[in-house]
Amino acid sequence: MVALLEGGGYADQVVVRETQTLPVPDGVGLVEAAALPEAACTAWTNLVDTGRLRRGETLLVQGGSGGVGSLAVQLGAALGARVVATAGGPERAARCRELGAGVVVDHRSEDVVAAVRQATDGRGADIVLDVLGGGGLQDNVRLLAPGGRLVVIGLQQGRTGELDLARLMAKRATVTGTTLRSRTAQEKAEIVAAVGRHVWPMVADGRLRPVVHARVPLDEAQTAHDLLESGEVFGKVLLVP
Ligand SMILES: NC(=O)c1ccc[n+]([C@@H]2O[C@H](COP(=O)([O-])OP(=O)(O)OC[C@H]3O[C@@H](n4cnc5c(N)ncnc54)[C@H](OP(=O)(O)O)[C@@H]3O)[C@@H](O)[C@H]2O)c1
């Protein structure tokens, strides 16, 4: 059994509503499966419920190498989107390609706006799934296609930014954001159920895999934090007993 927790996951035992649990998907071990619930629920609800991603659309995943991003790249591809991702450095970019991104822009060495525009024949992305927040706002709006949706899920570059409303209006675009943690129990139950119905079969048939960078013993949790701060992690770090 795996669960979407309210928080407090650094524990040997947790209490969780049954509606926020799912069986371990077929083909995946119990420990590996721990990489899935939060990332899959975040990717699913933001791409499908909020972003209204449709087959054939272009999805830009800002941070395709992250715990959420590496799942979102795979999910976008499995849902029939054309996936463009950003990643820091050529090795991380190559791994995003292996996960299903057709185009990957190295944000450390390339001009992301120019590269994404070039990759989309100047049109931009129908959905941008963003972990940058305020610091990425202007570029993300520039990168939206007509009718595009910017879905902010992270604030790694701050909580405020300048929004060019004229650009937004001209594109008939939407800027929105969500957090999983603030949802009601009912909403979490619906997201978890949808993930069980739609995403778990993709895991079982191999279209989507948990991306685990390292397993670290729970009593060495600081090592896991140091790893995350090193910028080298691709996917998830798991704390194990
Ligand atoms: N809203 C929600 O419900 C929800 C749920 C879960 C997580 N989150 C948030 O989502 C964010 C990502 O979570 P995570 O677990 O995936 O974190 P993570 O594993 O640390 O990933 C962060 C990613 O950001 C990328 N990044 C850093 N600077 C970048 C830049 N300038 N351009 C493009 N990408 C850049 C990194 O890519 P490189 O290292 O390759 O540069 C890395 O892949 C966090 O802020 C977290 O709090 C939100």
Side-chain angles (χ1 to χ4, degrees), residues 13 23 35 37 45 57 83 102 105 112 126 139 187 221 236:
Q13 296 190 351
T45 192
E57 285 192 322
V83 181
V105 178
V112 173
D126 299 292
D139 281 355
E187 287 171 318
K236 286 276 186 191

Side-chain angles (χ1 to χ4, degrees), residues 117-171:
R117 278 200 182 133
Q118 191 182 1
T120 57
D121 295 328
R123 188 174 170 274
D126 299 292
I127 300 190
V128 178
L129 184 71
D130 173 62
V131 295
L132 302 176
L137 182 60
Q138 297 220 31
D139 281 355
N140 282 330
V141 172
R142 279 193 187 97
L143 285 172
L144 287 174
R149 290 84 73 195
L150 166 60
V151 186
V152 179
I153 61 164
L155 301 172
Q156 293 181 163
Q157 291 184 354
R159 59 191 292 169
T160 59
E162 198 169 297
L163 177 61
D164 183 338
L165 290 169
R167 192 170 272 138
L168 199 73
M169 289 158 72
K171 294 184 176 192

